[in-house]
Every structure is written in structure tokens, then in C-alpha cells.
Amino acid sequence: MKVLFYMANAEAAAWLHDFARALSQADLREWQPGDTAPADFAVVWRPPREMLAGRADLRAIFNLGAGVDAILALEREQPGTLPPNAPLIRLEDTGMAPQMAEYVTHAVLRYLRRFDEYEALQRERRWQVLDPHPRDTFTVGVLGLGVLGAHVAQTVARFGMPVRGYSRSAKQVEGITTFAGEARFDAFLDGVKVLVNLLPHTPDTANVLNTRTFSKLAHGAYLINVARGAHLVEADLLDALASGQLAAATLDVFQQEPLPPDHPFWQEPRITVTPHMSALTLREESVAQIAQKMLALDRGEAVGGVVNIERGY
Ligand code: NAP
Ligand code: GLV
């Protein structure tokens, strides 16, 4: 089994080392420009077009992330980047779901218990008890009920707030009120107090976090965006904070990453910024999952996480 690897960052050597250990029978090599020698599988993160284009030999491409928006954007900009017969396979959970649940639960509870406001009061040395938010109307709405969204929704629901979930196809998730399809989008949003975004970034979902969406939420709602920066119309968020329609936002992802030093989000006290760390890609779990799927494909078995290129996720 011949495996090509590409990752343009400083961690590449550590990943290669772990793949070599997990796939001890495989002939594993790091792709270099000009390498067109045969390969069965490719493992990539943000690969250049010339690595994959025209490779009829590849049996699958493994994306080192849950989101495939970057590699599919490359395909849209330069059609033919992805070999037509090699399925694109993404990471499924690999330890990201519990991290995402921790991050979102922390942010939801911070807003429920008004810790963001107590932090501001402390900066002013003010000793003041605020009226608590009523839990039964502190409705949390999770956009995306996939591997991450469903786990997040169920984790948050354990704290007793009403939790809703929104997906493309109808879903049943225990303890969650579910809504599916565009026709149900407004019903899903209606009165939501905390909107959590865990949609994939596709042509259908880009800019979904906008003035219209915010206007359907409860007044003084909160936004938690942990999916992609391209989901958010940044100027609309600032307007919604200025008008009071949104009370605060926690953002882990941005249109431009790293967030530029002069970006207004850094200065806005009602916005909490984190550097795309809500669910880190864990090397051990990811290598194990990919190696296991390669071996399954080699035996002729089906595997999960195959991306529907048309749908974009
Ligand atoms: P997933 O399993 O593919 O789930 C995607 C969910 O979104 C599904 O429920 C899907 O509906 C729904 N969806 C997609 N398009 C939709 C549309 N147009 N309308 C309504 N619902 C739609 O993905 P995942 O593994 O949970 O990951 C979600 C995203 O999280 C990734 O794509 C990535 O961008 C982001 N992420 C961020 C971080 C970070 O550190 N910030 C880490 C990992 C992942 P169906 O169920 O009907 O298909
Ligand atoms: C990280 O953002 C991922 O998509 O895995």
C-alpha cells in the first residue's frame, strides 16, 4: 500500500512519524513537488492542486480535518483538482466532539449565569448581583446536527435549558427539539436565546449568520460561532451588538485567520475571541482513525466520513 502525505506546517514531521508507526506495512512518503509516482492513498491538509490533479491511481483522499471547505474550494476554483474516482474522506469526531462540547457548554453557562457581565463589573470594582436569566426560556439553538452538533446539543441539554437543533434532513436526537430544511429555519430560530453554529461551510451555508437570522432570535440573544468564519457577516454582528439585538458573541473562527491586529472584534468588549481552538485535531486519534479506514478499504470494506462533493460536506 503506497501512501502520500502532505501538510504544510511545522507539525508535518510528527504526523509522518505517527503514520509510519500506525501503517508499518505501508510505503509512506511525504509528497514533494514533481512527485507523480504511484500512490493508493493520500493524506492531506490544504494540499496544492498539483499533488492530486490527474492522479487516476488514488483509491481515496483523507482530509486531516472535519471540515472539507478548503479542499472543495480548491476544486471549485480549479475543477479537476480532485481525481473523480477517489472518495474524499474527512475526520469523524477523533476527539473533537468532547472538546467542542466543553467549549460550547462553557460559553452557554457563562452567558446563562452572566459571568461575562460579572467580569465587566469586576473591572469596575463593583459589587452587584444581577437578576439571573430564567433557565426555561434560555433556549439554545444548534445549527448543524452532525457528528459535532448532535453531541454538543445533547451535552448542553443536560443542564436543563430547552435545546433545539437544525439540520438539512430530518433527525431524531433524544432530548432535542429538531427542525429540518430551509422551510423550518425561521421556526427553529424563533425566540432562540443562544445560537450555536456547527454547520459545515458550503455554498448553501455561507453568510448564514446575518442580520435577518439575528432578527428572528430573542432580543438580547447570544451567538457562539465554532464552525467557520465564512458563516458570519461580520458587519451584521457589530450592528446587532450596537442595537442590542445581540447581547454578546463568542467566536472561535473568522473570515481571516489569524484575526488581524486591527480587526474591530479585538476591541469589542462583548465579543470573546479564541484562536480556532474549540476542537483541536488530535494526532493520535486522527492517525488511528485514518489508518483503520485505509486498512478497511484495502480489505474492500466500506468506511464512514465519505464527503458528498455535490452537497459540499
Ligand atoms: P457533519 O457531521 O457533516 O454535520 C453537518 C451538519 O450540518 C449535519 O447535521 C447537516 O445536516 C447540517 N447541514 C449541512 N448543510 C446544511 C444546510 N444547508 N442546512 C441545514 N443543515 C445543514 O459535520 P461535523 O463533523 O459535525 O462538523 C461541522 C463543522 O464544524 C465542520 O464542517 C467544520 O467546519 C467545523 N469544525 C470546527 C472546528 C473548530 O475547531 N472550530 C473543529 C472541527 C470542525 P444533515 O444531518 O441533514 O446532513
Ligand atoms: C477544524 O476546523 C476542522 O475542520 O477539523
Side-chain angles (χ1 to χ4, degrees):
M1 182 199 298
K2 294 184 191 329
V3 180
L4 267 184
F5 176 86
Y6 180 87
M7 173 192 261
N9 70 34
E11 292 171 35
W15 281 85
L16 259 176
H17 172 269
D18 286 7
F19 271 117
R21 219 172 32 188
L23 294 165
S24 54
Q25 309 299 319
D27 169 4
L28 170 71
R29 66 185 194 272
E30 189 170 12
W31 182 82
Q32 304 293 342
D35 176 351
T36 55
D40 299 298
F41 299 112
V43 180
V44 298
W45 183 243
R46 296 179 177 270
R49 173 183 160 78
E50 56 270 34
M51 176 184 178
L52 302 173
R55 274 195 172 271
D57 49 355
L58 281 182
R59 289 154 56 198
I61 299 168
F62 290 89
N63 181 63
L64 282 172
V68 288
D69 45 335
I71 193 166
L72 292 188
L74 192 63
E75 173 65 23
R76 269 195 301 278
E77 284 157 22
Q78 302 178 60
T81 297
L82 295 177
N85 298 323
L88 176 63
I89 300 172
R90 70 188 190 91
L91 293 181
E92 294 178 285
D93 187 349
T94 53
M96 287 188 263
Q99 294 179 75
M100 209 47 111
E102 288 161 3
Y103 183 104
V104 173
T105 303
H106 173 271
V108 169
L109 294 180
R110 177 168 174 249
Y111 292 137
L112 173 72
R113 296 301 307 273
R114 304 180 70 166
F115 285 119
D116 55 327
E117 293 169 79
Y118 285 113
E119 286 158 17
L121 287 170
Q122 179 177 351
R123 283 192 292 274
E124 294 171 24
R125 299 175 182 232
R126 284 172 59 195
W127 180 278
Q128 184 187 340
V129 177
L130 304 168
D131 288 339
H133 284 297
R135 186 181 303 267
D136 57 345
T137 55
F138 206 79
T139 304
V140 178
V142 182
L143 287 167
L145 275 181
V147 173
L148 302 181
H151 185 70
V152 163
Q154 288 193 299
T155 305
V156 170
R158 286 194 209 120
F159 288 87
M161 293 81 81
V163 180
R164 298 179 190 168
Y166 177 72
S167 55
R168 187 167 149 127
S169 56
K171 295 255 162 330
Q172 281 199 328
V173 183
E174 203 184 334
I176 312 301
T177 308
T178 57
F179 299 73
E182 245 177 275
R184 298 286 289 147
F185 188 52
D186 286 1
F188 160 80
L189 295 172
D190 185 34
V192 159
K193 192 70 179 175
V194 186
L195 184 65
V196 178
N197 179 35
L198 269 165
L199 289 168
H201 169 214
T202 70
D204 288 339
T205 65
N207 299 324
V208 65
L209 305 175
N210 57 36
T211 298
R212 184 189 179 283
T213 297
F214 301 148
S215 73
K216 305 286 174 192
L217 305 175
H219 186 74
Y222 300 91
L223 173 68
I224 300 170
N225 187 19
V226 279
R228 286 293 185 261
H231 288 126
L232 175 64
V233 181
E234 295 187 342
D236 289 5
L237 170 60
L238 293 171
D239 288 348
L241 290 169
S243 72
Q245 176 57 18
L246 289 187
T250 294
L251 308 177
D252 185 49
V253 287
F254 303 89
Q255 298 267 358
Q256 191 182 339
E257 294 180 9
L259 190 64
D262 60 350
H263 197 286
F265 286 176
W266 288 114
Q267 297 298 327
E268 170 50 65
R270 289 164 295 184
I271 295 180
T272 299
V273 168
T274 56
H276 201 141
M277 47 59 77
S278 51
L280 300 172
T281 306
L282 303 179
R283 198 166 67 234
E284 193 178 328
E285 286 85 341
S286 306
V287 167
Q289 184 177 94
I290 290 173
Q292 190 209 335
K293 287 185 182 182
M294 267 181 205
L295 296 172
L297 288 172
D298 217 36
R299 293 191 297 269
E301 296 167 9
V303 299
V306 175
V307 172
N308 179 326
I309 308 280
E310 297 283 293
R311 240 175 25 177
Y313 69 99

